[in-house]
């Protein structure tokens, strides 16, 4: 058993939640960006981004080998990690604004598929998750400090 | 006798530290799709081991450590990890964050209690060795 394993676990979660927060900030900042990417000479709006998370050090060859040779049922996975950042494939919003420089011939503008309410909810959830992980980290740290006092 | 108590307390600390690790991991994966929360099983197995060989039960005297034990076991159970199959979330995540946070607080206090008790045992030993208070 690794003595300081819990710090790595909570730390990985803090990193992951911070990355989620960065992505949410980018989504909110680009909520009205009509020139996100140039595709075949045509500007397409910014696409909403999302983080995909998975347990770190999940089922691997080592896990199964240990289970087979030492009879260990399962071990603690080592935290969480962001495996990829994907783009939301929902259609863009169409707004009638003929004066806009990116309006098409009918006067409609394609706006990013960013929903501000959704981003706010995600932001709250990321904040709370971050706080929960900080609490877990502090609890673990206090336990280690207590262990150092044994036998003093 | 005192060594047995220290062994017991040490194993208790092990279990508590492992539990802290699993709780941290559960909280870290509170929003991971398809993740199932893990629990540490120790106290029940320890209780069962103590009950089957506890105080008052028959105990064989051994004159050699290689003899087969009868009664009181010196083999303490090791803490094991078990996965709980529940669904708390739309993405098939099984972490109950309220439960994890309460477990975290309880486990922290529990660890401190065992550490304190261990300190007490060592202080008693110190007193015996020094021969004064």
């Amino acid at each position: 058993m690794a003595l300081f394993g819990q710090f790595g676990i909570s730390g990985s979660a803090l990193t992951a939640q911070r990355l989620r927060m960065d992505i949410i900030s980018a989504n909110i900042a680009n909520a009205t960006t009509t020139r996100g990417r140039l595709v075949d000479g045509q500007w397409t709006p910014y696409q909403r981004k999302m983080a995909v998370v998975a347990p770190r050090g999940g089922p691997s060859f080592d896990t199964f080998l240990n289970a087979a040779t030492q009879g260990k049922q399962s071990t603690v996975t080592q935290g969480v990690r962001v495996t990829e950042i994907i783009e939301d494939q929902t259609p863009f919003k169409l707004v009638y604004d003929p004066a806009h420089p990116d309006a098409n011939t009918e006067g409609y503008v394609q706006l990013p598929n960013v929903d501000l309410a959704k981003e706010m909810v995600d932001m709250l959830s990321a904040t709370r998750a971050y706080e929960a992980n900080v609490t877990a980290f502090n609890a673990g740290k206090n336990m280690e400090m207590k262990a150092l006092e044994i036998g003093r | 006798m005192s060594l047995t108590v220290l062994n017991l307390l040490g194993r208790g600390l092990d279990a508590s530290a492992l539990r802290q690790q699993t709780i941290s991991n559960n909280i870290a994966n509170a929003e991971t799709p398809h993740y199932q929360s893990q629990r540490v099983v120790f106290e029940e197995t320890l209780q069962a081991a103590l009950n089957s060989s506890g105080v008052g039960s028959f105990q064989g005297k051994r004159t050699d450590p290689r003899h087969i034990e009868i009664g009181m076991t010196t083999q303490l159970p090791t803490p094991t990890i078990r996965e709980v199959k529940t669904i708390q979330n739309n993405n098939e995540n099984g972490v109950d964050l309220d439960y994890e946070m309460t477990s975290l607080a309880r486990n922290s206090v529990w660890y401190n209690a065992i550490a304190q008790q261990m300190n007490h045992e060592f202080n008693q030993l110190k007193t015996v060795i020094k021969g004064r208070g």
Side-chain angles (χ1 to χ4, degrees), chain A residues 1-2 5-6 9-10 13 20 53-55 73-80 125 129 132-133 135-136 139-140 142-143 146-147 149-152, chain B residues 13-14 16-18 20-22 24-25 27-29 31-33 35 38 80-82 97 101 104 107-108 111-112 115-116 118-119 122-123 126:
Chain A
M1 186 195 330
Q6 59 204 15
I9 291 172
S10 294
R20 269 185 74 201
V53 290
Q73 286 151 341
S74 59
T75 50
V76 191
T77 53
Q78 294 297 311
V80 65
S125 122
N133 281 297
T135 311
N142 288 336
M143 279 165 58
K146 189 74 183 177
E149 286 172 18
I150 294 176
R152 276 254 176 102
Chain B
L13 278 182
D14 277 351
S16 192
L18 186 64
Q20 166 69 20
Q21 219 168 335
T22 51
S24 299
N25 197 41
I27 294 175
N29 284 292
E31 296 185 16
T32 307
Y35 177 81
Q38 300 175 316
T80 52
I81 298 169
R82 164 172 74 89
L97 202 56
M101 294 316 275
L104 183 77
N107 188 47
S108 191
Y111 189 93
N112 284 352
Q116 201 172 327
M118 211 157 186
N119 252 333
F122 276 119
N123 281 335
K126 266 186 203 165

Side-chain angles (χ1 to χ4, degrees), chain A residues 9-10 13 17 20 80 124-137, chain B residues 22-32 35-39 84 86-89 91 93-106:
Chain A
I9 291 172
S10 294
Q17 297 301 336
R20 269 185 74 201
V80 65
L124 280 179
S125 122
T127 314
R128 294 289 170 257
Y130 194 88
E131 283 171 6
N133 281 297
V134 169
T135 311
F137 184 92
Chain B
T22 51
I23 293 171
S24 299
N25 197 41
N26 288 342
I27 294 175
N29 284 292
E31 296 185 16
T32 307
Y35 177 81
Q36 292 293 316
S37 58
Q38 300 175 316
R39 302 253 185 283
V84 190
T86 49
I87 292 178
Q88 293 285 340
N89 212 329
N91 55 13
N93 179 290
V95 180
D96 180 355
L97 202 56
D98 297 322
Y99 180 85
E100 299 300 337
M101 294 316 275
T102 48
S103 302
L104 183 77
R106 186 175 51 207

Side-chain angles (χ1 to χ4, degrees), chain B residues 32-98:
Chain B
T32 307
H34 306 289
Y35 177 81
Q36 292 293 316
S37 58
Q38 300 175 316
R39 302 253 185 283
V40 171
V41 184
F42 176 64
E43 278 78 10
E44 296 88 346
T45 42
L46 178 65
Q47 189 65 58
L50 289 179
N51 278 348
S52 65
S53 61
V55 188
S57 69
F58 181 76
Q59 195 175 335
K61 181 176 168 60
R62 296 189 301 167
T63 53
D64 192 299
R66 286 170 298 180
H67 287 172
I68 295 172
E69 288 175 44
I70 304 170
M72 184 73 174
T73 176
T74 53
Q75 291 289 315
L76 292 173
T78 47
T80 52
I81 298 169
R82 164 172 74 89
E83 270 196 358
V84 190
K85 296 263 179 283
T86 49
I87 292 178
Q88 293 285 340
N89 212 329
N90 203 15
N91 55 13
E92 294 187 18
N93 179 290
V95 180
D96 180 355
L97 202 56
D98 297 322

Side-chain angles (χ1 to χ4, degrees), chain A residues 61-73:
Chain A
F61 178 73
D62 290 2
T63 330
F64 290 114
L65 185 68
N66 279 338
T69 54
Q70 298 171 19
K72 281 184 184 170
Q73 286 151 341

